[in-house]
């Protein structure tokens, strides 16, 4: 739960393929797993249909008009989760319902139940996804995309899947998908239900559950909202304690701890205080710069010096002997070994606290233009 305490966020997405005739087993499922938000696709509901799940608020986009009820989406949100519903943007190719949750000490997060019908345009549907991403800087779009690609463990790459992968790569989004298929058909199994995550960098796990009577499995996505605790080196960060005190003073009020009458309320207040202390410490702390440099043995320095000298002599004289000597030193095994060791050490030192991990992956993923030959 994420009311005034900020520990985790559990989302569950399910393509019900008509929820009215499955409501009894669905209520048992909700009671068993108790997710914070339930995102349902293909509800087949009309406005006069009533869906009542205890302890949850329901936000729906139903089909209005004559004929079959059609697909449509809804979101069930726990009543103790701080949130609000916003109107769904104008969409031309997909269906969606949007809820914005507002956990304490975190930025608001848009959670969107999305359904991409098989009949939708296989290339233009990403325009609607762009509109949904505009609802908030932190966004989780979760549901049935009807798109297959090897990237999320499908056997083939459909046109819609390739278009979605290009869209995700272009905007530097993340895709969270389970290890096992989510939709089972006649002699087929594919992963159609997954989540697109934008600017929400928290650890998560995602699983497809073999429950409920639909051709799609429910998929549960768990986020851990606790800030990471550094155990390797107690002096890896430095803290400005005056900023810590001011931040804690602004977020904690004595009045918040009045009215404790039972153990449940006491436990909630303790967790609330713990989350506020963690957030204040994270706000007032910054990584300590690593001033230690890797030690290079003298014999390696001598090899590097000799290699550079041979290269310079060849460039100045164009003597084939100097060229041969330079190439021999360039292929020296000890130089390659120390270079590989330095790279391994750099990879092991990467972490998210000082942004070194993101800077490294940004450099590696950056597209570089080919330099034409002279």
């Amino acid at each position: 739960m994420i009311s005034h305490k900020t520990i985790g966020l559990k989302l569950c997405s399910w393509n019900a393929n008509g929820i009215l005739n499955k409501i009894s087993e669905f209520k048992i499922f909700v009671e068993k797993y108790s997710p914070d938000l339930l995102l349902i696709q293909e509800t087949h509901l009309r406005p006069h249909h009533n869906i009542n799940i205890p302890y949850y608020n329901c936000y729906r986009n139903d089909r209005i008009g004559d004929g079959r009820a059609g697909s449509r989406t809804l979101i069930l949100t726990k009543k103790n989760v701080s949130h609000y519903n916003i109107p769904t943007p104008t969409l031309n190719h997909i269906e969606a319902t949007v809820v914005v949750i507002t956990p304490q000490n975190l930025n608001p997060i848009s959670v969107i139940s999305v359904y991409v019908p098989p009949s939708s345009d296989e290339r233009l549907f990403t325009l609607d996804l762009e509109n949904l991403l505009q609802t908030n800087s932190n966004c989780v779009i979760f549901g049935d995309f009807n798109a297959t690609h090897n990237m999320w463990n499908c056997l083939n790459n459909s046109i819609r899947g390739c278009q979605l992968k290009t869209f995700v790569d272009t905007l530097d989004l993340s895709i969270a998908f389970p290890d096992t298929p989510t939709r089972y058909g006649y002699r087929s199994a594919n992963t159609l239900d997954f989540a697109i995550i934008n600017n929400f960098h928290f650890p998560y796990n995602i699983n497809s559950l073999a429950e409920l009577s639909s051709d799609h499995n429910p998929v549960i996505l768990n986020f851990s909202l606790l800030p990471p605790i550094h155990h390797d080196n107690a002096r890896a960060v430095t803290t400005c304690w005056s900023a810590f005190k001011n931040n804690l003073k602004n977020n904690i009020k004595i009045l918040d701890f009045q009215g404790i009458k039972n153990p449940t309320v006491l436990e909630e207040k303790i967790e609330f205080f713990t989350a506020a202390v963690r957030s204040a410490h994270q706000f007032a702390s910054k990584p300590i710069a690593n001033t230690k440099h890797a030690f290079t043995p003298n014999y390696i320095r001598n090899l590097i010096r000799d290699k550079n000298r041979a290269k310079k002599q060849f460039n100045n004289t164009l003597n084939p002997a100097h060229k041969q000597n330079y190439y021999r030193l360039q292929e020296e095994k000890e130089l390659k070994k120390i270079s590989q060791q330095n790279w391994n050490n750099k990879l092991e030192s990467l972490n998210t606290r000082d942004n070194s991990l993101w800077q490294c992956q940004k450099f590696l993923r950056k597209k570089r233009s080919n330099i034409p030959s002279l």
Side-chain angles (χ1 to χ4, degrees):
M1 295 184 294
I2 52 169
S3 50
H4 54 270
K5 53 184 179 179
T6 305
I7 297 178
L9 174 63
K10 180 187 288 189
L11 309 178
C12 178
S13 174
W14 180 45
N15 183 320
N17 193 20
I19 194 172
L20 281 179
N21 58 347
K22 306 178 179 74
I23 194 65
S24 297
E25 59 175 323
F26 179 66
K27 288 183 177 180
I28 296 174
F29 175 85
V30 172
E31 185 177 356
K32 177 180 178 181
Y33 290 98
S34 188
D36 296 306
L37 287 89
L38 284 150
L39 292 70
I40 312 299
Q41 302 86 43
E42 286 203 86
T43 60
H44 298 176
L45 293 177
R46 292 287 192 184
H48 64 273
H49 292 143
N50 183 32
I51 295 293
N52 182 23
I53 305 298
Y55 311 113
Y56 283 85
N57 293 319
C58 183
Y59 304 97
R60 298 162 44 178
N61 284 322
D62 298 336
R63 174 80 67 178
I64 300 176
D66 298 331
R68 186 171 176 266
S71 303
R72 295 308 181 181
T73 58
L74 66 79
I75 294 182
L76 293 163
T77 308
K78 269 188 178 178
K79 293 184 177 180
N80 63 347
V81 174
S82 178
H83 72 281
Y84 58 90
N85 172 239
I86 64 174
T88 303
T90 301
L91 304 175
N92 298 315
H93 306 284
I94 67 179
E95 301 171 3
T97 303
V98 185
V99 165
V100 178
I101 60 175
T102 56
Q104 190 166 350
N105 302 323
L106 289 176
N107 293 326
I109 309 158
S110 284
V111 179
I112 303 171
S113 174
V114 65
Y115 176 66
V116 181
S119 59
S120 65
D121 192 288
E122 294 179 324
R123 300 185 187 276
L124 298 181
F125 76 101
T126 53
L127 298 176
D128 288 347
L129 294 179
E130 284 191 63
N131 289 336
L132 294 174
L133 290 173
Q134 301 303 316
T135 59
N136 208 295
S137 58
N138 300 330
C139 195
V140 179
I141 304 177
F142 197 9
D144 179 6
F145 289 86
N146 272 309
T148 60
H149 198 279
N150 301 147
M151 180 181 177
W152 45 90
N153 290 340
C154 296
L155 295 178
N156 58 74
N157 299 338
S158 64
I159 297 177
R160 185 180 289 112
C162 293
Q163 181 71 13
L164 183 60
K165 183 181 184 301
T166 301
F167 174 77
V168 167
D169 291 343
T170 302
L171 298 184
D172 198 21
L173 308 175
S174 301
I175 291 185
F177 56 90
D179 294 331
T180 56
T182 65
R183 195 265 181 185
Y184 292 87
Y186 180 71
R187 292 185 178 180
S188 67
N190 275 309
T191 304
L192 303 182
D193 307 83
F194 47 86
I196 294 177
I197 304 172
N198 180 37
N199 196 30
F200 191 57
H201 307 296
F202 284 92
Y204 66 82
N205 61 74
I206 182 169
N207 297 290
S208 172
L209 305 178
E211 301 198 29
L212 299 177
S213 55
S214 172
D215 55 345
H216 288 254
N217 284 348
V219 180
I220 288 188
L221 173 60
N222 278 300
F223 286 99
S224 174
L225 303 184
L226 284 176
I229 303 175
H230 192 85
H231 295 288
D232 298 332
N233 182 2
R235 293 292 298 157
V237 296
T238 179
T239 302
C240 176
W241 294 110
S242 60
F244 171 83
K245 181 181 70 173
N246 293 333
N247 184 275
L248 192 61
K249 183 178 179 181
N250 293 334
N251 290 325
I252 293 291
K253 307 296 182 184
I254 298 299
L255 296 177
D256 294 337
F257 299 92
Q258 293 183 352
I260 300 177
K261 298 180 180 179
N262 58 66
T264 302
V265 175
L266 176 61
E267 184 176 347
E268 291 179 352
K269 297 296 184 182
I270 291 174
E271 292 176 349
F272 169 60
F273 178 78
T274 303
V277 171
R278 289 180 182 273
S279 176
H281 183 264
Q282 186 180 35
F283 172 81
S285 301
K286 63 179 181 179
I288 297 176
N290 183 14
T291 58
K292 297 181 179 180
H293 300 282
F295 172 74
T296 303
N298 288 331
Y299 74 96
I300 294 295
R301 292 183 181 179
N302 293 335
L303 287 174
I304 294 174
R305 184 178 65 250
D306 293 342
K307 182 189 74 170
N308 293 338
R309 182 186 295 118
K311 181 179 180 181
K312 186 175 181 180
Q313 289 174 341
F314 170 68
N315 290 335
N316 292 337
T317 65
L318 298 181
N319 188 334
H322 295 315
K323 178 180 180 181
Q324 184 178 3
N325 188 34
Y326 167 66
Y327 283 170
R328 179 183 61 81
L329 291 169
Q330 180 76 12
E331 296 299 321
E332 180 65 42
K333 291 184 178 180
E334 291 297 329
L335 287 179
K336 288 190 173 183
K337 183 178 179 181
I338 196 69
S339 177
Q340 183 63 43
Q341 183 62 42
N342 290 338
W343 176 247
N344 291 339
N345 293 339
K346 180 178 180 180
L347 292 180
E348 292 175 359
S349 67
L350 297 179
N351 63 78
T352 58
R353 299 297 296 271
D354 59 359
N355 286 330
S356 59
L357 176 62
W358 315 121
Q359 291 171 359
C360 183
Q361 67 89 20
K362 185 177 180 181
F363 173 78
L364 294 175
R365 293 182 61 181
K366 185 177 180 181
K367 295 181 180 179
R368 294 171 178 79
S369 58
N370 294 326
I371 301 176
S373 57
L374 297 177

